[in-house]
Amino acid sequence: MTDPNIPPPVDPTPRTEVHHTTINNPPARSGGGGGSWIGLLVGGLVVVVLIIAFVVFSQGGMSPGKDTNVDIDVDLPRPTMPDAPKMPDLPDVPSVEPPSVPGPEPVAEN
């Protein structure tokens, strides 16, 4: 049996661990190239705005606008509503006093 107070034996050849780390850095782009879709989007919007402007301001194509002065006189008779039904007369009912609630009584002293 070994004595627990004795330190463990020392290895005469120390171990060294070597770690290899690989870092992959792609080369930097020198032309941008990532924003070409923005130019396509802006160009498409400009084309759509031009088409809408042409349709709005051309007044139906290349033909001149028609005379839209229309004078219409509409004279209609005023409608009359029928009279509402009359409420029936209430029967004669005798007047009744509401019931009374007794109030608190004074406390009797002994």
Side-chain angles (χ1 to χ4, degrees):
M1 195 157 190
T2 55
D3 186 11
N5 295 327
I6 298 175
V10 178
D11 191 11
T13 58
R15 294 182 185 176
T16 57
E17 295 183 20
V18 178
H19 297 282
H20 295 283
T21 304
T22 304
I23 298 175
N24 294 322
N25 286 332
R29 285 196 244 171
S30 63
S36 63
W37 64 274
I38 294 176
L40 182 64
L41 180 68
V42 170
L45 288 175
V46 168
V47 169
V48 168
V49 167
L50 288 176
I51 290 172
I52 291 173
F54 177 75
V55 170
V56 168
F57 293 119
S58 67
Q59 297 178 358
M62 295 298 198
S63 63
K66 296 180 182 178
D67 185 20
T68 58
N69 186 8
V70 179
D71 188 16
I72 298 176
D73 185 19
V74 180
D75 188 19
L76 297 175
R78 177 169 249 165
T80 58
M81 299 296 293
D83 291 337
K86 302 285 187 207
M87 293 292 294
D89 293 333
L90 294 176
D92 291 333
V93 179
S95 64
V96 178
E97 292 293 323
S100 62
V101 178
E105 297 179 5
V107 177
E109 294 182 24
N110 292 349

